[in-house]
Amino acid sequence: GGELSGDHISLEQTSETVFVEGPGELHFTSKPAAGADDPANTARIDVTWTRSMRFDNQQRTARVLGDVIAETRQGRDATVLRCDDLEMRFQSLGEITRVMPASDAERRALGEQEAIIDRLQRGGWTLDTMVARGDKAVFEAASFKADGAMPDTRVTLRGPVMTFDNATEALQIAGEGAMLIEDFREGGDSPRANADQPLPMVRMAGRGRTLFHWTGDCTFNAAVNDMVINHGVQMVHVGPDGQDPVKLDCRRFRADLEPTGGLAGWFSRNPPQPHIIGVYADGNVRLKGQGRTINTDHAHYTARNQRVRLDADDGRMTELINEADPTRPVRSQSFIWDLRTDRIELIRPGVQQMPVGRD
């Protein structure tokens, strides 16, 4: 069931709406659509606000305004969403088992309209979508160490509009935004593959901090385990020992991720801890780090075989510059880089075509 509390609560029987004026709290156990048959995917969600809340039973929606915080915690895993405006849509609604207004008069009014509460009984509370809006909208998911003091891993997302859609298992951030992936685990607990490889691209999933920024949009598709970022993409990775940062710029970035348990897990026991197993970067690609700069149009990294393919468009050249000798760049339309052996194969090398540069 659910618990609703606030300083001023009013109910309208005909329209089946509940309105809370001023600060309040809503607590309920959600059974996300994507994990409806898995009890482990249920989660208690605690929502607080400072301005108002309107709950519409007929439309199966709740609109919450003012310093909104929606959070869950299960064991060592926790998620928190902060925004100015949160809209929740449910596939089905559960029973509000406790309504706690502040005044005796409001308690008597609720007692006369208990039929409204009765009509809210629809089985489980099943979230369909959540839309968070606000200049300071932030979603954070973390898995903590055994003592609970510090996180092992943490993902922080920022953007003006965040849409969580359980039907499509997608999280979309519309507009300019940022994502910070932090991995503080010790070497034995964290995947170390790629951590010491020479190509900057493959270190973005390693331990340390990785920051993405974009000007277009970002979409996580939990159903197929991929992430797409569009327009003005910038990435910076700093390893756990604070070594020189690795930087990536491109127009479009796509990553294949290890399974995260679907979007249902994002608000239950399995907050996302993305491990990148494949990367595609397209459009004015520039990779810089570990003494190298690479300019190209397309870059594709595959973790399975530890190979990177770098391709320039027709009439252009991929360019690799070693900072120790920047006057002698290596140019070829395509490179195939075997990271296990540090062997580079040049495909259609030449010096007459125009090198790839930044627009």
Side-chain angles (χ1 to χ4, degrees):
E3 299 179 7
L4 174 66
S5 63
D7 291 341
H8 303 284
I9 300 179
S10 59
L11 295 92
E12 210 290 315
Q13 188 166 1
T14 303
S15 61
E16 298 186 48
T17 58
V18 180
F19 184 76
V20 181
E21 183 180 357
E25 300 180 8
L26 175 64
H27 309 277
F28 64 95
T29 300
S30 170
K31 186 163 64 171
D37 296 327
D38 184 357
N41 275 333
T42 62
R44 176 182 169 89
I45 299 181
D46 302 309
V47 185
T48 62
W49 61 88
T50 59
R51 287 177 52 194
S52 65
M53 191 279 288
R54 186 178 187 274
F55 191 102
D56 188 322
N57 181 46
Q58 294 181 353
Q59 298 296 320
R60 297 181 178 178
T61 60
R63 185 78 176 270
V64 188
L65 301 175
D67 299 321
V68 181
I69 300 176
E71 55 187 338
T72 69
R73 190 173 187 102
Q74 291 194 356
R76 292 165 57 182
D77 299 327
T79 65
V80 59
L81 174 64
R82 296 181 175 88
C83 60
D84 297 325
D85 179 342
L86 177 63
E87 184 174 359
M88 296 178 285
R89 182 175 296 275
F90 300 87
Q91 288 185 357
S92 61
L93 296 173
E95 180 185 8
I96 294 182
T97 55
R98 297 175 63 194
V99 179
M100 296 174 287
S103 69
D104 291 337
E106 287 176 331
R107 289 191 184 94
R108 287 193 296 272
L110 289 177
E112 296 170 357
Q113 302 184 65
E114 289 182 353
I116 298 176
I117 304 303
D118 293 337
R119 292 193 187 100
L120 293 176
Q121 189 167 1
R122 299 285 191 274
W125 292 66
T126 304
L127 271 173
D128 189 4
T129 60
M130 293 201 313
V131 181
R133 301 178 179 89
D135 294 337
K136 299 180 180 180
V138 178
F139 173 76
E140 181 180 295
S143 181
F144 287 84
K145 297 181 183 296
D147 60 9
M150 293 291 294
D152 265 337
T153 59
R154 181 167 55 199
V155 178
T156 305
L157 300 168
R158 300 176 185 272
V161 181
M162 299 185 193
T163 302
F164 300 80
D165 190 327
N166 277 312
T168 61
E169 295 196 64
L171 163 59
Q172 183 176 48
I173 303 172
E176 183 175 357
M179 172 177 62
L180 177 63
I181 301 174
E182 299 171 286
D183 189 340
F184 304 107
R185 290 173 292 182
E186 299 299 326
D189 299 327
S190 179
R192 290 301 303 272
N194 314 334
D196 300 316
Q197 297 291 353
L199 189 71
M201 181 193 308
V202 302
R203 282 180 42 209
M204 66 184 63
R207 293 185 302 128
R209 293 178 170 89
T210 306
L211 175 66
F212 290 88
H213 180 269
W214 59 87
T215 59
D217 56 70
C218 175
T219 301
F220 286 91
N221 189 328
V224 296
N225 302 302
D226 72 7
M227 173 180 69
V228 177
I229 307 175
N230 291 307
H231 304 302
V233 182
Q234 297 177 315
M235 184 218 77
V236 179
H237 173 83
V238 178
D241 301 324
Q243 57 261 48
D244 290 340
V246 172
K247 298 179 181 180
L248 165 68
D249 297 332
C250 61
R251 287 204 197 105
R252 187 175 190 269
F253 177 95
R254 180 169 73 84
D256 292 330
L257 309 174
E258 290 181 352
T260 58
L263 193 61
W266 288 48
F267 281 92
S268 61
R269 73 191 192 287
N270 294 316
Q273 300 169 14
H275 298 310
I276 295 173
I277 59 177
V279 168
Y280 304 81
D282 296 290
N284 282 350
V285 178
R286 170 170 287 184
L287 292 154
K288 185 174 183 180
Q290 295 179 299
R292 291 182 174 93
T293 298
I294 299 172
N295 297 313
T296 189
D297 292 305
H298 311 280
H300 175 205
Y301 161 70
T302 306
R304 176 179 53 80
N305 58 14
Q306 291 288 285
R307 301 181 82 182
V308 178
R309 176 154 184 144
L310 306 160
D311 293 293
D313 290 334
D314 289 342
R316 293 159 69 86
M317 301 291 282
T318 296
E319 182 180 65
L320 188 153
I321 302 170
N322 287 301
E323 293 180 4
D325 190 3
T327 62
R328 299 179 61 187
V330 179
R331 296 188 178 99
S332 178
Q333 184 166 15
S334 300
F335 289 85
I336 296 178
W337 195 327
D338 189 324
L339 300 176
R340 293 168 296 189
T341 62
D342 202 18
R343 180 178 180 272
I344 298 176
E345 177 185 354
L346 278 64
I347 302 175
R348 297 177 64 187
V351 296
Q352 302 302 316
Q353 294 171 290
M354 180 177 65
V356 171
R358 306 301 292 170
D359 289 346

